[in-house]
Amino acid sequence: MLHLSRLTSLALAIAIVIGAPLAQAAEKTAPATPAAVSPAKTNAAAKPPLPLDELRTFAEVMDRVKAAYVEPVDDKTLLENAIKGMLSNLDPHSAYLGPEDFQELQESTSGEFGGLGIEVGVEDGFVKVVSPIDDTPASKAGIEAGDLIVKINGTPTQGQNMQEAVDKMRGKIGEKITLTLVRDGGTPFDVTLARATIQVKSVKAQMLENGYGYIRITQFQVKTGDEVGKALAKFRKDNGKKMSGLILDLRNNPGGVLQSAVQAADHFLTKGLIVYTKGRIANSELRFSADPADASEGVPLVVLINGGSASASEIVAGALQDQKRGILMGTDTFGKGSVQTVLPLNNDRALKITTALYYTPNGRSIQAQGINPDIVVRRAKVTNEADGENYKEADLLGHLGNGNGGADKPTVKSGAAAKARPQDDDFQLSQALSLLKGLSITRGN
């Protein structure tokens, strides 16, 4: 299974899978050999002899550590540490995955895990419910935003960090768990619920203003491409006509499943190459091209990127930039342009090893360089100032009417505060929206 990711730590990185058969391997712990073959098998005839001196040294070091280390160390621990060292010293993205890390990799690529359906945070040392997810055990049990989780299965949560609490609430599907909650400072009460399969959506879409849509991709999971297609279809249905512009937000997107990244880019393209990869082994030579369908209907597109945009998000941004389909706005991306192959082992473990580099349609490798935006817009705080005591002609007593007809337009008294919109406190997003409006005006839309 081939994948891309931004960081070594699986708690922070999202794997990127290449090849449909390989994506299925990512979702299962089955020990079946993935489609990618190892370099050793492709060139067995020319395999060099084993370095006997180094192997003797390895055996001697292992023997000395077992005999002299301050505490007893078993052979299994020493060998696993040796494997980890072998992989970690190749490059920052190659690693040996133990059972927990391998399972976390599969959950991150599929977007599914066994849990309760609660988004949580930490406040004053307590775990706090930020929001229950609709149609999950948490929402069905009546858990509300703002509830404090003071115990999990009888164990106090005070002093625990958020990840520790999340790990305790996740687990085997169908298994029951009891949460002790405090609501609005009242008396603690228990809620018992069973874990279920939780699907985390990676795409958030909404209309910013009439005719202008916004799609935010937090990471590329197995179903992300389909979710983008559904969002575009809903925009078309709700708007009733061709839209005036779209904003695709890839900021702080660490990567994900490559097939979904290709699908997402393909929703905005009608022809040409999207991405290709190069490596030593035959299965690492891959090319992905767009099909003629255009779910976005060719509307003007602005893509937001920043230093947190990595791997799969850089593939999407690079393809849209090279094909001149969208305007990239923001700051330079992360620069993660290598491809990893995940090789499941027969003991619920796996190897994640770098096997190729990927390239944008114009042949650019963004490894350690990143993608530069077409328009640089850095983060900034947006401060709204109150309007002064201004008057218009229509406010003056005895003013003349408009000879061409139409109602007068006097000063509008400010009433209740308007509902907050995403662009109101996001400078980069507001700049993207302004650019789209300018393009719409100049094109006569």
Side-chain angles (χ1 to χ4, degrees):
M1 175 180 61
L2 303 180
H3 75 96
L4 302 149
S5 61
R6 172 184 169 192
L7 302 174
T8 302
S9 171
L10 286 172
L12 300 176
I14 304 300
I16 296 181
V17 182
I18 297 181
L22 308 180
Q24 295 173 3
E27 297 175 42
K28 302 177 182 178
T29 56
T33 303
V37 296
S38 67
K41 292 182 180 179
T42 60
N43 197 17
K47 186 164 63 176
L50 291 173
L52 297 180
D53 288 344
E54 284 75 12
L55 287 173
R56 291 190 187 98
T57 301
F58 174 82
E60 183 180 359
V61 169
M62 184 172 173
D63 189 54
R64 295 286 181 90
V65 170
K66 287 178 62 180
Y69 188 62
V70 64
E71 295 179 353
V73 186
D74 57 44
D75 291 342
K76 178 182 177 182
T77 300
L78 289 174
L79 289 172
E80 286 213 346
N81 288 339
I83 295 171
K84 291 177 182 178
M86 184 193 312
L87 273 293
S88 65
N89 282 292
L90 293 176
D91 65 80
H93 306 289
S94 295
Y96 171 73
L97 309 180
E100 291 183 1
D101 290 339
F102 189 27
Q103 181 179 357
E104 188 173 351
L105 175 66
Q106 297 170 75
E107 289 178 352
S108 67
T109 57
S110 67
E112 295 182 352
F113 58 89
L116 305 177
I118 308 174
E119 295 180 10
V120 297
V122 175
E123 183 176 290
D124 298 329
F126 288 97
V127 178
K128 183 178 182 179
V129 177
V130 175
S131 176
I133 301 173
D134 292 341
D135 298 322
T136 63
S139 64
K140 293 175 182 177
I143 294 176
E144 299 178 2
D147 288 349
L148 295 179
I149 303 174
V150 295
K151 291 182 182 180
I152 300 175
N153 281 338
T155 302
T157 61
Q158 188 173 18
Q160 292 185 8
N161 61 41
M162 187 172 64
Q163 191 57 50
E164 289 174 331
V166 169
D167 289 343
K168 288 183 179 180
M169 287 186 283
R170 289 188 180 186
K172 186 176 180 181
I173 295 171
E175 192 174 67
K176 290 189 176 182
I177 182 172
T178 299
L179 302 181
T180 303
L181 307 175
V182 172
R183 181 173 298 164
D184 298 328
T187 304
F189 61 96
D190 290 341
V191 175
T192 300
L193 54 172
R195 295 186 182 97
T197 300
I198 307 300
Q199 175 68 52
V200 179
K201 290 188 176 181
S202 60
V203 175
K204 299 177 181 179
Q206 67 181 97
M207 296 296 292
L208 297 177
E209 292 183 10
N210 186 30
Y212 296 94
Y214 172 72
I215 296 177
R216 162 85 175 130
I217 304 178
T218 57
Q219 63 190 57
F220 287 95
Q221 298 172 345
V222 172
K223 298 181 180 179
T224 300
D226 292 336
E227 289 177 17
V228 172
K230 291 178 181 178
L232 290 170
K234 190 174 188 302
F235 282 156
R236 290 195 303 271
K237 180 181 177 181
D238 294 347
N239 200 51
K241 60 180 180 178
K242 185 176 179 180
M243 297 181 63
S244 300
L246 283 169
I247 297 173
L248 179 63
D249 192 350
L250 300 177
R251 291 173 297 177
N252 299 318
N253 182 323
V257 179
L258 178 59
Q259 297 98 310
S260 294
V262 170
Q263 290 172 8
D266 196 7
H267 286 311
F268 301 95
L269 298 170
T270 58
K271 62 181 179 179
L273 196 60
I274 295 175
V275 66
Y276 66 96
T277 65
K278 284 184 180 180
R280 282 204 304 144
I281 59 178
N283 295 60
S284 64
E285 301 282 337
L286 301 168
R287 297 175 71 87
F288 298 90
S289 298
D291 64 43
D294 181 11
S296 67
E297 300 182 307
V299 301
L301 175 69
V302 174
V303 183
L304 290 174
I305 56 173
N306 66 3
S309 306
S311 294
S313 51
E314 292 176 291
I315 287 175
V316 174
L320 296 175
Q321 186 180 52
D322 281 4
Q323 297 241 27
K324 301 189 183 302
R325 174 60 185 89
I327 299 172
L328 270 56
M329 178 181 286
T331 54
D332 295 349
T333 61
F334 183 79
K336 183 359 186 116
S338 61
V339 180
Q340 284 70 45
T341 301
V342 175
L343 304 172
L345 304 176
N346 59 5
N347 53 0
D348 292 336
R349 292 164 170 79
L351 300 180
K352 178 164 70 80
I353 184 170
T354 301
T355 55
L357 295 175
Y358 69 78
Y359 297 83
T360 69
N362 288 349
R364 291 185 293 165
S365 170
I366 57 89
Q367 174 63 23
Q369 293 183 357
I371 290 178
N372 306 123
D374 300 307
I375 302 174
V376 176
V377 177
R378 304 191 181 281
R379 290 183 59 191
K381 291 185 177 180
V382 179
T383 303
N384 294 319
E385 295 185 358
D387 293 332
E389 290 292 327
N390 296 320
Y391 292 93
K392 297 181 179 180
E393 172 72 13
D395 295 318
L396 301 178
L397 186 63
H399 67 272
L400 298 176
N402 188 291
N404 292 326
D408 293 345
K409 294 183 178 180
T411 303
V412 178
K413 299 292 184 181
S414 57
K419 183 179 179 181
R421 304 171 302 174
Q423 64 268 32
D424 290 338
D425 56 3
D426 186 334
F427 180 68
Q428 292 172 319
L429 180 57
S430 67
Q431 291 295 98
L433 181 58
S434 295
L435 176 59
L436 284 174
K437 289 180 177 179
L439 292 173
S440 179
I441 292 171
T442 56
R443 294 179 182 184
N445 293 339

